[in-house]
Amino acid sequence: MKNIDWVQEVESRKNELIEDTRELLKIKSVLEEGTEKAPFGEGIAEALHFLLETGNKDGFVTKNVDGYAGHIEHGSGEELIGVLCHIDVVPEGDGWSVPPFGAVVKDGRIYARGAIDDKGPTMAAYYAIKILKELELPLSKRIRMIIGTDEESNWRCVDHYFSHEEMPGIGFAPDADFPIIHAEKGIMDFDLIQKKDEKGDKVLKSLTSGQRYNMVPDYAEALLALENFEEESFHTFLEGENLSGHVTIKGEEVLLTIEGISAHGSMPEQGINAGIKMCEFLSTLTLDEKANEFVQYGAQMFCGDYYGEKLGIAYKDEVSGPLTVNIGLIRYKEDEEGKFGLNIRYPVTQQSSTIIEGIDQKTFSIENIDDSPPHHVEKDHQLIQTLQRVYEERTGEEATLLAIGGGTYARALKAGVAFGPLFQGREDVAHKKDEYMDIEDLLKATAIYAQALYELAK
């Protein structure tokens, strides 16, 4: 068979690819209250229908799996290769300079919520399979594009899908970075709980910080019933830490607030945890016994330590790097249990049970454990070898193997990796205002996916 010019094949379909991508991006597929036929809301159902109908028109085998997910399949053979995508997006948020669901094309980019995460890459993968079909290339394996609808929330889509449908032997998720992410750390959430103490008067009435386990809290507030509070000491602390905050006197109570810097829970060192900073300040005050125990624990165990050293659970390996700890939630009320909500990303050679066993529970008990084990595909696996070769042929760059603390659909497969679409050196604008995908990158990724799927399935 003659050599295939993958770039030219994509270029000849450029206008069609861009327009189909824009049509998908115009659908506001944000999680909403669901129905039996649209379990995650009408917008997500509409996006799934659009993609499956596009597949029907192009002659693919398609299936809608109870509105939870769907697939588009090409080829024949016993073995199945999966391409795991998702068409749900996070809410648009504020501050856009263009309509977030307008799919505006300007300056060589397509702007829309979901452009890079994950509708643009989804359409790149679709067109890659479409090219193989239209060229009538002989394949010995089936290629199945699996379309998720709840990736940005709780992954109920893939749980439902794989309880009803075949599991691919190998595959990739076009939902992260190039070259190849072959290792994803384990992700574990749990609470450290301080028991109630109803004895005596309480000085610290409440302490609240954080909304989600997987985000560094950028705001904290504490309410104190403290006579003779020295306001100057708080301002001195803020100045020393280069932080912003406020003091509000409410009768016999004092409300303190601290502003930090938010970051993703997989990279806590990139943020400033407002809740832990508040614990650090409160630990300098004379509080009641229960409150003192709580804030001292927060300050001593978590301040300046992102790697679990003070908790006694520090660990790292060569494949995926160090364990990280994010304190995503802090909840304290004078008449309730105190809680630190932890988000831990642990290396691929570590067990979650060793982490739990390693934490001293004399003062705080561990409850509400939620664990997603790590995922790792060995570097000599045929999937890795093929994707590396294709990436290097298409880009002329070394296909280094990456490890991340985040999680992609790749971990749903026994042998799955994350493969693009974000090229090295490009800004990651996923979940941000004015999210976009460079059209050049959309075309380039499509060519890479087409050649990779052909090499895997021929």
Side-chain angles (χ1 to χ4, degrees):
M1 180 177 290
K2 68 177 182 178
N3 290 332
I4 301 165
D5 188 337
W6 299 104
V7 173
Q8 180 54 42
E9 292 298 337
V10 175
E11 189 65 30
S12 68
R13 298 165 175 83
K14 174 180 176 179
N15 293 336
E16 187 183 358
L17 168 57
I18 291 171
E19 284 310 304
D20 278 346
T21 302
R22 292 186 68 226
E23 288 304 308
L24 180 59
L25 287 168
K26 288 176 182 178
I27 302 170
K28 186 176 179 178
S29 52
V30 176
L31 179 67
E32 298 174 328
E33 186 173 344
T35 63
E36 184 177 351
K37 291 186 177 180
F40 306 119
E42 293 299 327
I44 288 175
E46 182 184 348
L48 178 61
H49 176 77
F50 171 83
L51 205 48
L52 294 177
E53 276 302 298
T54 301
N56 286 333
K57 291 174 187 174
D58 288 332
F60 289 107
V61 174
T62 68
K63 185 173 184 179
N64 185 327
V65 184
D66 305 319
Y68 280 80
H71 68 236
I72 296 170
E73 186 173 307
H74 172 60
S76 60
E78 289 295 317
E79 296 181 58
L80 182 64
I81 297 165
V83 185
L84 277 66
C85 309
H86 70 91
I87 44 85
D88 61 309
V89 302
V90 297
E92 61 272 30
D94 300 321
W96 286 68
S97 66
V98 294
F101 296 100
V104 172
V105 175
K106 67 173 184 175
D107 302 325
R109 295 168 171 172
I110 305 176
Y111 287 83
R113 173 59 79 228
I116 195 72
D117 181 22
D118 185 46
K119 290 179 175 178
T122 294
M123 198 55 75
Y126 176 79
Y127 265 77
I129 303 169
K130 182 177 179 177
I131 288 169
L132 302 188
K133 183 178 188 299
E134 292 179 348
L135 292 180
E136 299 182 345
L137 297 174
L139 305 178
S140 64
K141 304 178 181 71
R142 289 171 292 140
I143 300 170
R144 179 179 290 182
M145 180 174 164
I146 299 169
I147 307 156
T149 58
D150 186 40
E151 194 271 351
E152 297 291 1
S153 298
N154 297 312
W155 285 34
R156 291 165 289 182
C157 50
V158 290
D159 290 343
H160 184 89
Y161 182 87
F162 285 123
S163 69
H164 292 80
E165 298 292 329
E166 182 180 356
M167 175 71 74
I170 61 173
F172 64 82
D175 189 23
D177 298 346
F178 281 122
I180 301 165
I181 294 172
H182 79 129
E184 299 181 8
K185 292 179 182 178
I187 305 173
M188 181 167 55
D189 297 335
F190 61 80
D191 296 326
L192 288 172
I193 300 293
Q194 178 196 37
K195 298 304 180 187
K196 293 182 184 179
D197 177 10
E198 299 176 356
K199 296 178 294 184
D201 294 331
K202 301 299 188 293
V203 177
L204 180 60
K205 298 297 183 180
S206 65
L207 168 56
T208 304
S209 185
Q211 299 297 324
R212 295 166 58 185
Y213 289 88
N214 67 347
M215 294 298 294
V216 176
D218 62 0
Y219 178 80
E221 64 178 38
L223 186 64
L224 298 146
L226 191 60
E227 295 181 7
N228 305 316
F229 175 70
E230 296 181 5
E231 186 173 338
E232 188 60 32
S233 66
F234 185 60
H235 291 301
T236 299
F237 173 81
L238 294 176
E239 185 177 346
E241 296 289 332
N242 196 27
L243 295 170
S244 296
H246 295 90
V247 178
T248 304
I249 308 297
K250 295 185 169 185
E252 297 180 354
E253 296 180 331
V254 181
L255 178 67
L256 307 179
T257 66
I258 289 179
E259 296 171 21
I261 297 177
S262 184
H264 195 276
S266 63
M267 295 171 285
E269 72 283 357
Q270 294 187 5
I272 296 178
N273 194 311
I276 297 306
K277 289 297 180 185
M278 184 67 83
C279 285
E280 188 178 3
F281 172 72
L282 293 175
S283 70
T284 67
L285 305 180
T286 301
L287 304 177
D288 57 274
E289 183 178 350
K290 175 174 179 272
N292 185 64
E293 178 184 72
F294 187 84
V295 300
Q296 291 287 349
Y297 189 90
Q300 293 173 11
M301 287 296 185
F302 307 126
C303 188
D305 181 8
Y306 309 108
Y307 306 108
E309 293 175 358
K310 295 175 183 177
L311 281 174
I313 58 173
Y315 181 87
K316 64 181 178 180
D317 62 25
E318 291 186 7
V319 176
S320 53
L323 174 149
T324 61
V325 179
N326 179 55
I327 314 304
L329 298 173
I330 300 177
R331 298 287 186 271
Y332 180 93
K333 283 192 176 181
E334 57 179 328
D335 54 354
E336 296 179 9
E337 297 175 331
K339 178 175 81 172
F340 292 102
L342 276 66
N343 175 250
I344 291 182
R345 311 293 171 121
Y346 60 96
V348 298
T349 56
Q350 192 176 25
Q351 300 288 326
S352 59
S353 58
T354 63
I355 298 170
I356 297 300
E357 292 166 2
I359 297 177
D360 187 337
Q361 296 189 54
K362 291 192 186 80
T363 307
F364 285 73
S365 62
I366 296 176
E367 299 181 20
N368 307 318
I369 300 171
D370 181 44
D371 180 39
S372 176
H375 177 73
H376 176 218
V377 180
E378 295 289 348
K379 62 182 179 181
D380 58 355
H381 193 285
Q382 175 250 343
L383 171 65
I384 299 286
Q385 300 286 310
T386 301
L387 296 183
Q388 282 185 308
R389 177 167 51 81
V390 170
Y391 180 83
E392 290 174 355
E393 286 180 12
R394 293 262 55 85
T395 67
E397 300 171 357
E398 182 182 0
T400 52
L401 300 182
L402 308 175
I404 60 171
T408 73
Y409 273 161
R411 65 172 60 211
L413 303 178
K414 185 176 181 181
V417 300
F419 190 45
L422 194 66
F423 288 95
Q424 292 178 306
R426 294 295 199 194
E427 181 186 4
D428 186 357
V429 292
H431 296 197
K432 297 180 181 179
K433 64 182 180 182
D434 287 346
E435 179 181 345
Y436 66 83
M437 186 170 189
D438 285 281
I439 291 175
E440 175 189 351
D441 292 353
L442 178 68
L443 304 179
K444 191 175 175 182
T446 304
I448 291 172
Y449 294 150
Q451 182 177 348
L453 288 169
Y454 176 61
E455 295 291 339
L456 291 169
K458 68 180 181 181

mmCIF file with all atom_site columns, all heavy atoms in Angstrom, residues 98-109:
data_model
loop_
_atom_site.group_PDB
_atom_site.id
_atom_site.type_symbol
_atom_site.label_atom_id
_atom_site.label_alt_id
_atom_site.label_comp_id
_atom_site.label_asym_id
_atom_site.label_entity_id
_atom_site.label_seq_id
_atom_site.pdbx_PDB_ins_code
_atom_site.Cartn_x
_atom_site.Cartn_y
_atom_site.Cartn_z
_atom_site.occupancy
_atom_site.B_iso_or_equiv
_atom_site.pdbx_formal_charge
_atom_site.auth_seq_id
_atom_site.auth_comp_id
_atom_site.auth_asym_id
_atom_site.auth_atom_id
_atom_site.pdbx_PDB_model_num
ATOM 1  N N   . VAL A 1 98  ? -15.936 36.600 24.602 1.00 0.00 ? 98  VAL A N   1
ATOM 2  C CA  . VAL A 1 98  ? -16.772 36.099 23.512 1.00 0.00 ? 98  VAL A CA  1
ATOM 3  C C   . VAL A 1 98  ? -17.865 35.240 24.130 1.00 0.00 ? 98  VAL A C   1
ATOM 4  O O   . VAL A 1 98  ? -17.728 34.783 25.262 1.00 0.00 ? 98  VAL A O   1
ATOM 5  C CB  . VAL A 1 98  ? -15.948 35.264 22.500 1.00 0.00 ? 98  VAL A CB  1
ATOM 6  C CG1 . VAL A 1 98  ? -14.926 36.125 21.770 1.00 0.00 ? 98  VAL A CG1 1
ATOM 7  C CG2 . VAL A 1 98  ? -15.257 34.090 23.198 1.00 0.00 ? 98  VAL A CG2 1
ATOM 8  N N   . PRO A 1 99  ? -18.974 34.975 23.412 1.00 0.00 ? 99  PRO A N   1
ATOM 9  C CA  . PRO A 1 99  ? -20.002 34.091 23.955 1.00 0.00 ? 99  PRO A CA  1
ATOM 10 C C   . PRO A 1 99  ? -19.415 32.699 24.213 1.00 0.00 ? 99  PRO A C   1
ATOM 11 O O   . PRO A 1 99  ? -18.830 32.099 23.304 1.00 0.00 ? 99  PRO A O   1
ATOM 12 C CB  . PRO A 1 99  ? -21.065 34.059 22.854 1.00 0.00 ? 99  PRO A CB  1
ATOM 13 C CG  . PRO A 1 99  ? -20.853 35.314 22.080 1.00 0.00 ? 99  PRO A CG  1
ATOM 14 C CD  . PRO A 1 99  ? -19.380 35.565 22.115 1.00 0.00 ? 99  PRO A CD  1
ATOM 15 N N   . PRO A 1 100 ? -19.541 32.162 25.429 1.00 0.00 ? 100 PRO A N   1
ATOM 16 C CA  . PRO A 1 100 ? -18.891 30.889 25.759 1.00 0.00 ? 100 PRO A CA  1
ATOM 17 C C   . PRO A 1 100 ? -19.394 29.692 24.962 1.00 0.00 ? 100 PRO A C   1
ATOM 18 O O   . PRO A 1 100 ? -18.690 28.692 24.852 1.00 0.00 ? 100 PRO A O   1
ATOM 19 C CB  . PRO A 1 100 ? -19.174 30.721 27.251 1.00 0.00 ? 100 PRO A CB  1
ATOM 20 C CG  . PRO A 1 100 ? -20.298 31.648 27.557 1.00 0.00 ? 100 PRO A CG  1
ATOM 21 C CD  . PRO A 1 100 ? -20.199 32.772 26.594 1.00 0.00 ? 100 PRO A CD  1
ATOM 22 N N   . PHE A 1 101 ? -20.595 29.795 24.393 1.00 0.00 ? 101 PHE A N   1
ATOM 23 C CA  . PHE A 1 101 ? -21.098 28.726 23.528 1.00 0.00 ? 101 PHE A CA  1
ATOM 24 C C   . PHE A 1 101 ? -21.362 29.250 22.117 1.00 0.00 ? 101 PHE A C   1
ATOM 25 O O   . PHE A 1 101 ? -22.195 28.716 21.389 1.00 0.00 ? 101 PHE A O   1
ATOM 26 C CB  . PHE A 1 101 ? -22.351 28.098 24.140 1.00 0.00 ? 101 PHE A CB  1
ATOM 27 C CG  . PHE A 1 101 ? -22.071 27.406 25.450 1.00 0.00 ? 101 PHE A CG  1
ATOM 28 C CD1 . PHE A 1 101 ? -22.363 28.027 26.660 1.00 0.00 ? 101 PHE A CD1 1
ATOM 29 C CD2 . PHE A 1 101 ? -21.459 26.160 25.474 1.00 0.00 ? 101 PHE A CD2 1
ATOM 30 C CE1 . PHE A 1 101 ? -22.072 27.413 27.869 1.00 0.00 ? 101 PHE A CE1 1
ATOM 31 C CE2 . PHE A 1 101 ? -21.162 25.534 26.680 1.00 0.00 ? 101 PHE A CE2 1
ATOM 32 C CZ  . PHE A 1 101 ? -21.459 26.154 27.882 1.00 0.00 ? 101 PHE A CZ  1
ATOM 33 N N   . GLY A 1 102 ? -20.605 30.263 21.735 1.00 0.00 ? 102 GLY A N   1
ATOM 34 C CA  . GLY A 1 102 ? -20.717 30.818 20.388 1.00 0.00 ? 102 GLY A CA  1
ATOM 35 C C   . GLY A 1 102 ? -19.801 30.152 19.385 1.00 0.00 ? 102 GLY A C   1
ATOM 36 O O   . GLY A 1 102 ? -19.983 30.302 18.181 1.00 0.00 ? 102 GLY A O   1
ATOM 37 N N   . ALA A 1 103 ? -18.787 29.422 19.876 1.00 0.00 ? 103 ALA A N   1
ATOM 38 C CA  . ALA A 1 103 ? -17.800 28.780 18.994 1.00 0.00 ? 103 ALA A CA  1
ATOM 39 C C   . ALA A 1 103 ? -17.228 29.783 17.989 1.00 0.00 ? 103 ALA A C   1
ATOM 40 O O   . ALA A 1 103 ? -17.159 29.534 16.790 1.00 0.00 ? 103 ALA A O   1
ATOM 41 C CB  . ALA A 1 103 ? -18.411 27.576 18.286 1.00 0.00 ? 103 ALA A CB  1
ATOM 42 N N   . VAL A 1 104 ? -16.822 30.918 18.516 1.00 0.00 ? 104 VAL A N   1
ATOM 43 C CA  . VAL A 1 104 ? -16.278 31.987 17.683 1.00 0.00 ? 104 VAL A CA  1
ATOM 44 C C   . VAL A 1 104 ? -14.899 31.601 17.165 1.00 0.00 ? 104 VAL A C   1
ATOM 45 O O   . VAL A 1 104 ? -14.048 31.111 17.921 1.00 0.00 ? 104 VAL A O   1
ATOM 46 C CB  . VAL A 1 104 ? -16.185 33.296 18.497 1.00 0.00 ? 104 VAL A CB  1
ATOM 47 C CG1 . VAL A 1 104 ? -15.449 34.375 17.707 1.00 0.00 ? 104 VAL A CG1 1
ATOM 48 C CG2 . VAL A 1 104 ? -17.577 33.759 18.890 1.00 0.00 ? 104 VAL A CG2 1
ATOM 49 N N   . VAL A 1 105 ? -14.677 31.822 15.872 1.00 0.00 ? 105 VAL A N   1
ATOM 50 C CA  . VAL A 1 105 ? -13.371 31.589 15.263 1.00 0.00 ? 105 VAL A CA  1
ATOM 51 C C   . VAL A 1 105 ? -12.691 32.933 15.043 1.00 0.00 ? 105 VAL A C   1
ATOM 52 O O   . VAL A 1 105 ? -13.217 33.802 14.347 1.00 0.00 ? 105 VAL A O   1
ATOM 53 C CB  . VAL A 1 105 ? -13.490 30.837 13.921 1.00 0.00 ? 105 VAL A CB  1
ATOM 54 C CG1 . VAL A 1 105 ? -12.128 30.707 13.246 1.00 0.00 ? 105 VAL A CG1 1
ATOM 55 C CG2 . VAL A 1 105 ? -14.110 29.462 14.135 1.00 0.00 ? 105 VAL A CG2 1
ATOM 56 N N   . LYS A 1 106 ? -11.545 33.113 15.663 1.00 0.00 ? 106 LYS A N   1
ATOM 57 C CA  . LYS A 1 106 ? -10.767 34.337 15.435 1.00 0.00 ? 106 LYS A CA  1
ATOM 58 C C   . LYS A 1 106 ? -9.303  34.075 15.787 1.00 0.00 ? 106 LYS A C   1
ATOM 59 O O   . LYS A 1 106 ? -8.993  33.242 16.654 1.00 0.00 ? 106 LYS A O   1
ATOM 60 C CB  . LYS A 1 106 ? -11.309 35.511 16.249 1.00 0.00 ? 106 LYS A CB  1
ATOM 61 C CG  . LYS A 1 106 ? -11.160 35.396 17.756 1.00 0.00 ? 106 LYS A CG  1
ATOM 62 C CD  . LYS A 1 106 ? -11.582 36.687 18.444 1.00 0.00 ? 106 LYS A CD  1
ATOM 63 C CE  . LYS A 1 106 ? -11.338 36.604 19.947 1.00 0.00 ? 106 LYS A CE  1
ATOM 64 N NZ  . LYS A 1 106 ? -11.625 37.889 20.618 1.00 0.00 ? 106 LYS A NZ  1
ATOM 65 N N   . ASP A 1 107 ? -8.421  34.746 15.069 1.00 0.00 ? 107 ASP A N   1
ATOM 66 C CA  . ASP A 1 107 ? -6.978  34.644 15.309 1.00 0.00 ? 107 ASP A CA  1
ATOM 67 C C   . ASP A 1 107 ? -6.487  33.201 15.268 1.00 0.00 ? 107 ASP A C   1
ATOM 68 O O   . ASP A 1 107 ? -5.598  32.815 16.041 1.00 0.00 ? 107 ASP A O   1
ATOM 69 C CB  . ASP A 1 107 ? -6.608  35.281 16.656 1.00 0.00 ? 107 ASP A CB  1
ATOM 70 C CG  . ASP A 1 107 ? -7.029  36.746 16.748 1.00 0.00 ? 107 ASP A CG  1
ATOM 71 O OD1 . ASP A 1 107 ? -6.959  37.430 15.712 1.00 0.00 ? 107 ASP A OD1 1
ATOM 72 O OD2 . ASP A 1 107 ? -7.443  37.171 17.841 1.00 0.00 ? 107 ASP A OD2 1
ATOM 73 N N   . GLY A 1 108 ? -7.087  32.403 14.395 1.00 0.00 ? 108 GLY A N   1
ATOM 74 C CA  . GLY A 1 108 ? -6.637  31.024 14.240 1.00 0.00 ? 108 GLY A CA  1
ATOM 75 C C   . GLY A 1 108 ? -7.057  30.089 15.342 1.00 0.00 ? 108 GLY A C   1
ATOM 76 O O   . GLY A 1 108 ? -6.497  28.997 15.491 1.00 0.00 ? 108 GLY A O   1
ATOM 77 N N   . ARG A 1 109 ? -8.060  30.500 16.121 1.00 0.00 ? 109 ARG A N   1
ATOM 78 C CA  . ARG A 1 109 ? -8.517  29.677 17.240 1.00 0.00 ? 109 ARG A CA  1
ATOM 79 C C   . ARG A 1 109 ? -10.035 29.552 17.223 1.00 0.00 ? 109 ARG A C   1
ATOM 80 O O   . ARG A 1 109 ? -10.732 30.414 16.711 1.00 0.00 ? 109 ARG A O   1
ATOM 81 C CB  . ARG A 1 109 ? -8.100  30.306 18.576 1.00 0.00 ? 109 ARG A CB  1
ATOM 82 C CG  . ARG A 1 109 ? -6.598  30.375 18.803 1.00 0.00 ? 109 ARG A CG  1
ATOM 83 C CD  . ARG A 1 109 ? -6.272  31.259 19.982 1.00 0.00 ? 109 ARG A CD  1
ATOM 84 N NE  . ARG A 1 109 ? -4.867  31.178 20.366 1.00 0.00 ? 109 ARG A NE  1
ATOM 85 C CZ  . ARG A 1 109 ? -4.285  31.956 21.268 1.00 0.00 ? 109 ARG A CZ  1
ATOM 86 N NH1 . ARG A 1 109 ? -5.002  32.897 21.877 1.00 0.00 ? 109 ARG A NH1 1
ATOM 87 N NH2 . ARG A 1 109 ? -3.014  31.808 21.559 1.00 0.00 ? 109 ARG A NH2 1
#
